[in-house]
Amino acid sequence: METLNFRRHRRLRKSAFLRDLVREHHLSVDDLIYPLFVVEGNKVRNPVPSMPGIEQLSPDYLLDEIGEAAALGIKAVLLFGVPRHKDPVGSAAYHPHGIVQEAIRAIKAKYPDLLVIADTCLCEYTDHGHCGVVENGDVLNDASLELLVKTAVSQAEAGADIIAPSNMMDGFTAAIRKGLDDAGFAYVPIMSYAVKYASAFYGPFRDAAESAPKFGDRKTYQMDPANRREALREAQSDIEEGADLLIVKPGMPYLDIIADIRQHFPVPVVAYNVSGEYAMVKAAAQNGWLDEKSVVLEMLTGMKRAGADLIITYFAKDVARWLKE
């Protein structure tokens, strides 16, 4: 055969060691943040039917779960609270002895080096399920900010290492940054849910957090999935207001947005591998339609390739085990 002039790209794929040597992006246990749902009580373990393997845990079981995660090398957890008491203003979110505040104290007492990130929102705590104060069917922006600041400060006082506001009210980063600074927490970072879409992928989370809206939807404050440039405006605002890290949520359907945020802003970018993404893979794997390990590692590596520095994922323990293999 006459010699042809073409590139032999397969040379660098010849062996596993060679492929490892030239791999451009690597998934590490250090990239993982493990989200957890904490409920009041003792010896409470409530499985979430739409999220196989995920449970609502009372603080005692939560500590066991965190111990297992820490032993796998996971260094950060993200806490969501599911209180017994809900009211129109979500007062359990900012109560000094609220479920998240007490969980933070318990975690820091037993695992002082673990990074504890507190989700800062009202939807799990309001009886209407919205992320702010509601009046005549409208979610009030500025009145909601006051309660979100109280929530963030109470979480910092309990020992939270990072505040992660997820409410998508305008000005939430500026308000929380000022509130934390005024309360003496100038060095507590804000991991802002800067780019949070009004996504259909949140359904299983709302089962786990018991936070589905009782009326309407969240499209007046979360972003339209069709919009790309708007994400840059949202992120720019949060950077100017004091955000230290930027979250893009969801992750997999929004890889282009992760890439845009990484290209435009020199701060750590966090992808949230959300509940719907988790549930789909779990369901397909349980039916034998997909190889769970291969799909999850490919999916999360794709988020890294798009530009994510960190990944919030319910697969965190599984991934940590697989990476050890």
Side-chain angles (χ1 to χ4, degrees):
M1 178 180 176
E2 183 180 348
T3 302
L4 301 177
N5 182 21
F6 59 89
R7 302 287 183 92
R8 293 193 180 274
H9 300 288
R10 291 178 59 187
R11 288 174 184 150
L12 298 182
R13 304 172 191 154
K14 189 174 180 181
S15 71
F17 283 174
L18 187 53
R19 292 191 297 271
D20 288 344
L21 188 68
V22 299
R23 182 163 292 139
E24 298 175 27
H25 299 279
H26 296 268
L27 185 64
S28 163
V29 70
D30 292 340
D31 303 329
L32 306 176
I33 298 170
Y34 185 26
L36 293 161
F37 301 94
V38 57
V39 295
E40 296 178 57
N42 193 50
K43 302 297 181 187
V44 178
R45 188 187 293 275
N46 298 326
V48 180
S50 56
M51 298 180 70
I54 300 300
E55 300 171 312
Q56 297 175 335
L57 300 169
S58 55
D60 51 332
Y61 285 145
L62 180 74
L63 291 176
D64 294 340
E65 182 74 5
I66 286 174
E68 184 178 340
L72 289 167
I74 295 168
K75 296 179 173 64
V77 297
L78 172 61
L79 293 186
F80 296 94
V82 186
R84 286 198 186 104
H85 172 73
K86 300 190 179 196
D87 59 33
V89 293
S91 60
Y94 46 85
H95 193 285
H97 298 288
I99 182 59
V100 164
Q101 288 80 355
E102 290 298 300
I104 293 169
R105 292 186 184 99
I107 294 167
K108 298 305 287 186
K110 189 166 185 178
Y111 303 102
D113 295 329
L114 188 81
L115 275 172
V116 179
I117 306 166
D119 178 81
T120 305
C121 196
L122 301 178
C123 61
E124 302 106 302
Y125 305 91
T126 55
D127 54 13
H128 46 72
H130 279 283
C131 303
V133 177
V134 172
E135 185 176 289
N136 298 323
D138 291 329
V139 180
L140 304 183
N141 194 89
D142 295 8
S144 301
L145 293 180
E146 297 178 19
L147 302 185
L148 293 165
V149 170
K150 291 174 65 175
T151 302
V153 170
S154 71
Q155 292 168 339
E157 289 173 341
D161 298 290
I162 298 175
I163 298 300
S166 60
N167 54 89
M168 288 297 284
M169 297 295 112
D170 289 337
F172 70 88
T173 302
I176 289 172
R177 181 72 273 160
K178 184 178 187 305
L180 290 172
D181 291 352
D182 290 349
F185 298 105
Y187 286 95
V188 171
I190 294 176
M191 178 186 287
S192 169
Y193 286 72
V195 182
K196 182 178 180 180
Y197 285 88
S199 173
F201 283 85
Y202 302 152
F205 171 90
R206 291 173 182 172
D207 294 340
E210 300 178 13
S211 62
K214 297 296 188 294
F215 66 89
D217 53 42
R218 296 180 179 147
K219 294 180 180 179
T220 64
Y221 46 102
Q222 294 179 359
M223 289 175 51
D224 185 339
N227 291 359
R228 183 173 184 175
R229 295 188 301 272
E230 184 183 6
L232 298 178
R233 298 198 300 271
E234 287 278 2
Q236 181 68 49
S237 295
D238 280 21
I239 289 291
E240 292 171 354
E241 293 172 14
D244 301 284
L245 307 95
L246 300 175
I247 297 176
V248 177
K249 181 181 181 182
M252 189 153 178
Y254 297 89
L255 296 179
D256 59 328
I257 307 301
I258 295 171
D260 287 349
I261 299 301
R262 159 52 55 237
Q263 181 179 355
H264 285 85
F265 303 104
V267 299
V269 177
V270 186
Y272 200 140
N273 176 218
V274 299
S275 61
E277 298 165 42
Y278 175 90
M280 288 192 304
V281 173
K282 282 289 186 183
Q286 288 178 351
N287 280 283
W289 298 335
L290 292 174
D291 178 77
E292 181 177 347
K293 174 184 173 182
S294 298
V295 167
V296 171
L297 293 178
E298 181 179 342
M299 178 169 59
L300 300 191
T301 300
M303 294 177 193
K304 288 282 291 183
R305 187 186 65 246
D309 299 288
L310 303 170
I311 301 172
I312 302 167
T313 179
Y314 303 96
F315 289 110
K317 287 199 307 178
D318 291 331
V319 171
R321 291 189 190 99
W322 295 331
L323 292 175
K324 284 179 178 290
E325 294 175 358

